[in-house]
Each structure stands twice: as structure tokens, then as C-alpha cells.
Amino acid sequence: PPSPQMSQVTSVSQLDDVQPSDWAIGALQSLVERYGCIAGYPNRTYLGNTAINRYEFAAGLQHCLEQINKLITNNTANTVKDEDLIALQRLQTEFQAELKQVEQRVDNLESHTSEIQANQFSTTTRLFGQAIFSLQGTNSANVDLFPRDKVPERKAETNLTFANSVQLTLATSFTGQDLLITGLSSGNLNSSASSVFNNMGRLGFESNTNNDLYISDLSYRFPVSNNLGIIIGTVGVNPTNTFRGINPLEGTGEGAISLLGQRNPILAIGNGTGGVGFDWQISDRLSLQGVYSAEIPSFPDDIQAGGLFGGRYTAGAQLTVAPTNNIDVGLHYLFSHSPDGLLGTGIGDAQLISPFAPATAFDTHAVGATVAWRINPNFHLGGWGGWTHSNPVNLSGSVETTNWMVFAAFPNLLRSGNLGGILVGQPPKITSSSLPEGFNFPNFSEGGTAGGRDDTSLHVELFYRTQLNDNLSLTPGVFVIFNPDHNAANDLLFIGALRATFRF
């Protein structure tokens, strides 16, 4: 019978694989030219030697009966021979059960189609969601909060917590090429930084909205040519969302469990939310992304605190290169202005001046690179490095930081769809600070004298994501920070988490 894959024919000669010498040529010619009962495939074939079941034969018979009924209705009954009608009646009786089931299947299909059309969310919008439920905790570690004498005087005290983080995304397309993203988020997983006295134990899926609903993304992407796209929005436009991801272990619900393990920390400089960006596919192996993003673009009152060109803002670019089919490289550059000496990375040394010094504005230049090498489908290696140079606006001197990470990814570990990961790296660290005395952060408890950090923190992480089904995964993971807060007097910090992710 005719279908989206078949088309009606009016002559046997239209079927390329039917020859005059075929034994059934007479029957086919009669059915095609007298009754219009035969349909062919789009490639002008009939596939006469293909086996069919009784249901398929019944469907074809039903179509033939409908064609003959049309002939009779149109007063052309003289074209239908009596012996043909007798044969068709006999076939109709023999295949009555199958014909009934075919009719029932068609009725069910029409009913399901009507139900889908009546209850579809939108003809232009799709809904995606991710819900994370997690159990996490840390050890109780001795902390040297004011490293004057390298003697710990505090103890990290945290509770074992059970928390959630939910993200809903509405993706709307008006032309089939554009995309309006509306993201809503809610959760109650707070950072442990205040309890352990440093930010190096932060998790990548934290959401501290106290279960209130917040807009996490409101951006619009559209093409201006075949190889150039633009993104603009009040929320969700920053280097992290605009630059192409290189790290295969990135993902709050399915990647590394730590915040540091998500990506090169310099990409978070500026805490950008709203702005404009672009993605230019220069060639098959080369692309360029750029972005300008402000932390509080909607704040109108004080240019020192917010606005599109006030407060904290960042402009940056990433050149993404694929020198081979198995290697991806991202080269990053960012310029950021901070009104208060905070870089905004949220991990490691994100503060540039002593907490006892007055707030001072800084301009920061950051450069870095991320590389990923797919050695084979089940084993990837990679890493990143980042360097920042910050100059105070009204002071002499400068501050420099570095960070690095190496990682190994094991897709399909033990089972298809699973993912294992190992990460070893250094959180951002002030290596040099030459501000006036009293302003330098590394030695803030000793008068803020010039110099970099004496000690170095080391981040070691292991995790294994088990894909239970298409929608649900379970990820146990641990990471250890040696010399937390770049201070050898601090006990190691141990963080463990069990993350369940449901995606729909």
C-alpha cells in the first residue's frame, strides 16, 4: 500500500526491477493498469522477491479493495470483472481477521497521534532537565588560619549532608537554526569553604539557592552566516558557556565531582553573567570564540559596582584547534576588571590583596591552554595550565598566579556508557606579589609584605560514573587536597561524595 516510503504507479514500466519475462508480469500489469492497486518505492523498484507477512498482505488487499470501491462508486463497474470480484470477496473473507487487526492498528495510531498533538509541550520548545541528589562530607582537619608560626589553631568541622540541585532548560527555536535558552535552577547544596576555612574542597554541582527558583540562563543564539553564530543574553553569557569545551571530564552531573576538575579556572574570572559573544568556524580544524560579559549587567545605580561596563567585567577569546582527528586544543586569553581585588574564580587564590587592606581595583590579563588527546575510544589524556597577571589601578606593583591540571579519562570503563576519571593538579596560587607593604595577600598575617606563597597545594581526584540506564547515573568520587590553602601546616583535606543524576 502507499506510504511515506512508497508512491503510486500507473504502469508496470515505471518499476525498474519488473521485467517482461517475470512470471507475475500479467498479474502486476492487471493490478496496476486496471485497478491501481500497486505502489512502488521511491527508487522506482517493486522488490517483488521480498517476503511479506499476512498483515502486510492484508494491508495491501485492503488498499486494493478501496481502489475497486472507488471504481464502482465512479460508475466504472464495467471495468471490474465478475471473476475478479469473486476472488476478492474470497480473499476478503479469508483475511477478515488480519484486516480487522490492520484497521484496529490504524485506529490506535490515529488515537495516539491525536493524544500527542493535544498534549505536546510546544511546537517550538523542548524541555530538558537534570536533577542531582548527593551525599557528601569531609574529614575534620587542623587548620592554620593565620600562618604566622605554622601552628594550626582551628579545626574544620563539617556535617555529612544530603542535598539536591535541579536544573530545567527550555530550548526554543523559531527558525530551526536559532535557539533561545531559558534556564531555571534550584538547590540547597552550599559550599563547605566557610567550615573548612578554604575554597579548595568545593564541589562542581553546588547550588545554594535555598531551594528558591532562580533564572540561571536567558540567552539567544542565532547564525549570521553559515560559519558564524552570535550569543546574547542577560544571564548565561560568559567564557564558560561561550567557549567550546575541551575537557572530557567536564559536567556538573556527569563529569568530575570537584569544582576544580570542571575546567581551567581562568575561564571563570570575572563571574560574568550577561553580555554578548560569538563562535566563528574558520575552517574544519580551526574556530574562534569571543565574549564580553559583565557580572551585574542590570545594576544601574553605581558604575563602580555594576552595569554593562561597570563593576566586574571580562572580555576574552579562545582559539580552538584540532591539529589531528584525535587532539583538541584551546588557547585562552581574558582581560578582566575587578573593583575590589577579587578574581572571581571561586577556587584557590581568588583574592589578590590582604583582607586587612582597603578594597582596590585591579586589571587582570590571563592566558592559558587546555588540551585533550583521544588515544583510543576508551582512553583519553589531557591537561591545562593558566597564568594571570594583575595590576592595581591606584597602586604600584602586581600579582601573578598559576594553576595546572593533568587528567586521564576512561570512557566505557567496565561497561558501555560509564566513565572513570583521574585528576592531579594545583589550584590557583599566588606565585608573586609586589604590592606596597600591607597589601600583599600571601603574607597578610605578617604585615602583608611582598612575596608569593611558600607552599603549594596539590589536588588528587578519583571518580567513577555508572550509567544505570539512559536517564540515571550514580557517581561515587573522592578528592584529597594536600597542603590546603597552599599551607603545609594544614592537615590534608579529604572530600567524598556520592552523586545521583537523573536527566530527562
Side-chain angles (χ1 to χ4, degrees):
S3 71
Q5 290 77 36
M6 306 180 75
S7 57
Q8 191 68 46
V9 295
T10 58
S11 173
V12 174
S13 62
Q14 294 177 257
L15 301 172
D16 292 342
D17 61 344
V18 176
Q19 304 300 325
S21 58
D22 289 339
W23 67 271
I25 184 66
L28 289 175
Q29 188 170 13
S30 177
L31 288 171
V32 170
E33 297 177 3
R34 293 177 59 189
Y35 304 124
C37 288
I38 299 298
Y41 289 90
N43 60 356
R44 297 172 60 89
T45 61
Y46 180 63
L47 302 181
N49 292 322
T50 303
I52 65 172
N53 56 42
R54 290 177 64 87
Y55 291 121
E56 292 171 328
F57 181 79
L61 177 60
Q62 177 68 26
H63 170 65
C64 200
L65 290 172
E66 291 174 355
Q67 291 294 105
I68 293 175
N69 285 332
K70 288 181 181 178
L71 293 175
I72 295 174
T73 302
N74 293 331
N75 296 320
T76 57
N78 59 325
T79 62
V80 182
K81 296 182 178 181
D82 292 339
E83 57 268 27
D84 292 338
L85 288 175
I86 293 172
L88 286 172
Q89 289 173 356
R90 179 173 56 81
L91 287 171
Q92 188 174 15
T93 300
E94 181 178 351
F95 285 89
Q96 184 174 6
E98 285 82 0
L99 288 171
K100 188 66 175 178
Q101 290 200 29
V102 170
E103 292 177 0
Q104 186 175 357
R105 289 184 178 186
V106 172
D107 290 341
N108 289 339
L109 180 60
E110 291 178 348
S111 176
H112 289 319
T113 302
S114 299
E115 182 179 356
I116 291 173
Q117 291 177 344
N119 294 282
Q120 64 180 343
F121 179 76
S122 170
T123 57
T124 59
T125 301
R126 295 186 63 187
L127 173 65
F128 302 91
Q130 174 178 276
I132 296 175
F133 301 93
S134 61
L135 185 70
Q136 54 276 317
T138 73
N139 64 323
S140 296
N142 292 319
V143 179
D144 181 19
L145 189 59
F146 297 99
R148 298 185 182 93
D149 52 7
K150 301 295 184 180
V151 176
E153 66 277 341
R154 300 287 180 90
K155 180 177 286 290
E157 297 287 351
T158 63
N159 296 319
L160 186 66
T161 61
F162 181 70
N164 70 83
S165 175
V166 179
Q167 178 74 38
L168 297 176
T169 301
L170 301 173
T172 303
S173 180
F174 304 102
T175 67
Q177 294 181 315
D178 62 338
L179 197 61
L180 173 65
I181 299 293
T182 305
L184 303 172
S185 65
S186 176
N188 62 355
L189 179 58
N190 295 318
S191 169
S192 64
S194 60
S195 299
V196 301
F197 304 105
N198 71 80
N199 60 16
M200 295 183 181
R202 295 189 62 187
L203 297 167
F205 45 93
E206 292 173 0
S207 177
N208 57 351
T209 70
N210 293 320
N211 285 330
D212 293 331
L213 196 63
Y214 281 79
I215 296 177
S216 57
D217 199 333
L218 188 58
S219 59
Y220 182 57
R221 294 163 170 81
F222 60 93
V224 294
S225 69
N226 291 334
N227 59 353
L228 178 62
I230 302 295
I231 176 174
I232 185 170
T234 56
V235 186
V237 180
N238 49 47
T240 298
N241 291 343
T242 305
F243 295 172
R244 299 190 185 184
I246 307 295
N247 177 18
L249 301 180
E250 181 176 351
T252 59
E254 56 187 15
I257 65 170
S258 70
L259 178 61
L260 181 62
Q262 295 295 308
R263 64 191 66 86
N264 195 323
I266 69 171
L267 300 181
I269 286 177
N271 285 337
T273 57
V276 61
F278 70 86
D279 189 344
W280 177 25
Q281 187 69 47
I282 302 172
S283 69
D284 290 342
R285 296 191 177 275
L286 189 67
S287 67
L288 178 68
Q289 298 85 49
V291 67
Y292 176 87
S293 181
E295 182 184 34
I296 317 176
S298 61
F299 190 77
D301 296 340
D302 185 354
I303 195 172
Q304 300 302 318
L308 189 59
F309 301 103
R312 204 182 324 276
Y313 57 84
T314 300
Q318 174 178 282
L319 186 67
T320 307
V321 185
T324 72
N325 292 336
N326 298 322
I327 297 177
D328 293 316
V329 180
L331 304 176
H332 328 299
Y333 168 75
L334 299 103
F335 169 82
S336 182
H337 175 78
S338 167
D340 52 12
L342 296 177
L343 282 179
T345 57
I347 191 77
D349 282 343
Q351 184 171 335
L352 298 174
I353 61 173
S354 167
F356 301 133
T360 301
F362 280 80
D363 290 331
T364 296
H365 298 271
V367 294
T370 303
V371 60
W373 177 23
R374 295 177 293 279
I375 298 176
N376 62 55
N378 300 319
F379 181 43
H380 303 175
L381 289 176
W384 66 68
W387 173 80
T388 70
H389 179 86
S390 303
N391 295 310
V393 174
N394 297 314
L395 295 174
S396 61
S398 63
V399 181
E400 294 182 356
T401 76
T402 62
N403 82 86
W404 60 268
M405 179 72 77
V406 293
F407 58 78
F410 303 92
N412 306 311
L413 183 61
L414 301 180
R415 182 185 175 188
S416 178
N418 293 356
L419 176 65
I422 302 175
L423 303 96
V424 179
Q426 174 208 291
K429 169 189 173 181
I430 294 177
T431 56
S432 172
S433 183
S434 58
L435 304 178
E437 187 168 341
F439 283 84
N440 297 282
F441 179 78
N443 302 312
F444 74 89
S445 62
E446 297 180 283
T449 57
R453 292 279 204 173
D454 293 331
D455 303 321
T456 301
S457 298
L458 185 67
H459 175 111
V460 179
E461 180 174 355
L462 299 170
F463 75 91
Y464 180 62
R465 186 193 74 214
T466 303
Q467 199 69 39
L468 302 179
N469 55 47
D470 292 340
N471 303 102
L472 181 63
S473 65
L474 192 64
T475 307
V478 297
F479 61 99
V480 180
I481 310 297
F482 297 90
N483 304 328
D485 199 31
H486 301 297
N487 187 348
N490 292 334
D491 290 345
L492 68 81
L493 181 63
F494 179 91
I495 301 94
L498 180 62
R499 178 186 64 199
T501 304
F502 177 69
R503 306 188 74 178
F504 56 92

